[in-house]
Amino acid sequence: LAETINLDEKNPTEEEESLKLQTWADLPVELLELILCRLTLEDNVRASAVCRRWHKVAVAVRVVNQSPWLMYFPKYGSLYEFYDPAERKTYSLELPELQGSRACYTKDGWLLLYRPRNHGVFFFNPFNRHMIKLPRFELTYQMVAFSDAPTSDLCVVFTIKHISPTVVAISTCRPGDSEWTTVNHQNRLPFVSSIWNKMVFCSGMFYCLSLTGWLGVYDPLLRAWSVLHVPPPRCPENFFAKNWWKGKFMAEHEGDILVIYTCNTETPIIFKLDHSEMVWEEMQTLNGVTLFASFLSSHSRTELPGAMRNVVYFSKVRFFGKRCISYSVDDRRYYPRKECHDWGEQDPFENIWIEPPRDASLN
């Protein structure tokens, strides 16, 4: 019998056979990243167990941390707005407890605030509305910082005030104290400006950056103050323009001290303190770190969504809508690009980054 031939059938090509043999594990990396970056942390961990390839991609896009929110202090009333840069959403809260106060610092979801009218100083958590009062203290224009959440026994509040070119007054207080402790200290480098306008707590020490870029260190356990022999960071061009001091920021990341200098449309310069050589090292990459910079306090995060990595978020907002400006270290550009970067136009006390609770939902 003649063999019947079906002319509609075609011999499969090698490419078609290869496509039939492909599995989910063969997804292109770009597509795999898009899928895995949208998973919850729990599902991301499960997906990472599929194979080595999926594990590598899942870990690369895994979101473990939560980005801080930008909190806006209204000029009038008690309606406070919070902007979430990860979700690009704005939330509102009525907080009449904060009327008449200005923010000083934030850490671990707590605000440190000051009421100029009666010199009241207090901690406040806007998400659970808990308040912890401190003894009254006159805080004129000096900066203030604290080491740990006020619910911790380790919490120390710190402020430093210019007395003369060679003398500073350092005041400290702990929750539960009946009064502040103030001690005058000598600046061992008399040519250093003792107007300190940036502070951060790192590895048990308070680090203070002066207007002229010198770094002071205070040990709250030993109650010792010193100015480090570290030459100031290099300033960008046109840095000493009007209101240049508003374009300086300092943050802590895993034991490192980071400083950001920017001015007008200048590209931000990011420095890391090299403790061994005692010099400021200019950083060309953030190695996946995200920085959230504001005049009062700045923060760092790792393992945020992929698009947020290697980015500096500034508290300066757009003129239209509550959305912060960001700078991509990888792309070497601001977002949005066509934005006025006159830092002098911003009120340094109008907003501050704050860490929301893990289950934050203000809808």
Side-chain angles (χ1 to χ4, degrees):
L1 294 174
E3 191 176 54
T4 303
I5 300 176
N6 187 350
L7 298 178
D8 292 332
E9 289 186 0
K10 297 181 180 179
N11 292 327
T13 63
E14 289 185 7
E15 182 178 355
E16 289 172 335
E17 286 292 337
S18 177
L19 287 173
K20 288 181 181 179
L21 294 175
Q22 284 185 345
T23 66
W24 282 97
D26 299 309
L27 282 174
V29 172
E30 294 80 6
L31 184 56
L32 195 55
E33 288 178 344
L34 285 174
I35 295 172
L36 297 184
C37 74
R38 297 176 182 273
L39 300 181
T40 63
L41 176 59
E42 185 178 2
D43 289 338
N44 177 290
V45 173
R46 288 198 183 102
S48 68
V50 171
C51 62
R52 289 183 179 179
R53 187 165 173 270
W54 276 42
H55 181 270
K56 183 178 180 180
V57 176
V59 170
V61 301
R62 182 171 295 168
V63 178
V64 176
N65 286 326
Q66 191 173 16
S67 77
W69 291 359
L70 193 55
M71 180 180 181
Y72 299 94
F73 280 68
K75 292 183 179 180
Y76 309 101
S78 57
L79 184 65
Y80 293 75
E81 293 187 311
F82 299 80
Y83 176 71
D84 178 0
E87 299 293 335
R88 297 182 180 180
K89 291 182 180 180
T90 301
Y91 306 96
S92 300
L93 275 180
E94 283 282 351
L95 299 171
E97 302 96 324
L98 302 188
Q99 279 192 297
S101 65
R102 64 172 174 84
C104 297
Y105 201 76
T106 59
K107 192 181 184 73
D108 298 333
W110 286 87
L111 290 161
L112 180 62
L113 302 114
Y114 175 63
R115 281 199 176 95
R117 181 174 55 84
N118 60 5
H119 306 314
V121 186
F122 62 101
F123 289 101
F124 186 77
N125 187 317
F127 303 107
N128 60 24
R129 303 180 99 108
H130 289 171
M131 181 183 293
I132 299 175
K133 293 184 178 181
L134 294 174
R136 296 181 189 276
F137 191 75
E138 185 176 356
L139 296 171
T140 49
Y141 297 102
Q142 68 261 42
M143 302 295 286
V144 190
F146 60 95
S147 61
D148 300 270
T151 52
S152 168
D153 294 335
L154 301 176
C155 179
V156 180
V157 184
F158 164 87
T159 185
I160 183 169
K161 184 177 182 179
H162 168 83
I163 300 298
S164 74
T166 59
V167 178
V168 293
I170 292 178
S171 301
T172 57
C173 185
R174 296 176 182 270
D177 285 355
S178 58
E179 62 182 12
W180 289 69
T181 300
T182 300
V183 178
N184 287 356
H185 295 264
Q186 291 285 330
N187 276 335
R188 294 186 179 180
L189 297 178
F191 56 88
V192 176
S193 166
S194 56
I195 301 176
W196 309 90
N197 76 329
K198 288 290 173 287
M199 296 183 186
V200 70
F201 185 75
C202 176
S203 302
M205 307 284 189
F206 287 99
Y207 287 81
C208 309
L209 191 70
S210 78
L211 283 176
T212 49
W214 291 89
L215 196 64
V217 182
Y218 179 72
D219 185 333
L221 292 179
L222 300 178
R223 297 185 178 182
W225 165 260
S226 63
V227 178
L228 301 182
H229 290 262
V230 181
R234 177 179 65 85
C235 297
E237 294 182 14
N238 303 320
F239 187 69
F240 291 98
K242 182 181 178 182
N243 294 314
W244 57 270
W245 49 274
K246 293 184 180 180
K248 291 172 55 180
F249 310 92
M250 184 164 66
E252 179 272 341
H253 178 70
E254 296 182 352
D256 286 324
I257 304 297
L258 307 179
V259 167
I260 307 165
Y261 277 18
T262 186
C263 183
N264 296 326
T265 57
E266 295 286 345
T267 299
I269 305 177
I270 305 170
F271 299 93
K272 180 175 71 173
L273 179 63
D274 184 333
H275 288 273
S276 60
E277 299 294 329
M278 296 304 282
V279 295
W280 290 103
E281 174 188 337
E282 186 172 342
M283 300 178 69
Q284 302 302 323
T285 178
L286 289 176
N287 297 314
V289 175
T290 307
L291 299 178
F292 297 87
S294 70
F295 181 82
L296 297 169
S297 63
S298 301
H299 307 267
S300 67
R301 291 289 186 276
T302 55
E303 297 182 305
L304 291 180
M308 298 184 72
R309 300 179 186 185
N310 297 317
V311 173
V312 182
Y313 285 86
F314 293 100
S315 60
K316 187 180 189 313
V317 298
R318 298 184 63 183
F319 294 135
F320 303 101
K322 293 292 178 67
R323 175 184 165 191
C324 54
I325 292 173
S326 62
Y327 178 81
S328 170
V329 176
D330 293 336
D331 299 341
R332 300 288 173 184
R333 56 158 288 190
Y334 279 99
Y335 289 91
R337 186 189 298 271
K338 296 180 179 179
E339 179 63 46
C340 175
H341 302 291
D342 184 359
W343 300 97
E345 294 295 324
Q346 177 171 318
D347 178 357
F349 298 101
E350 72 178 357
N351 52 45
I352 195 169
W353 292 103
I354 185 169
E355 181 181 343
R358 274 287 177 183
D359 57 349
S361 179
L362 305 182
N363 290 325

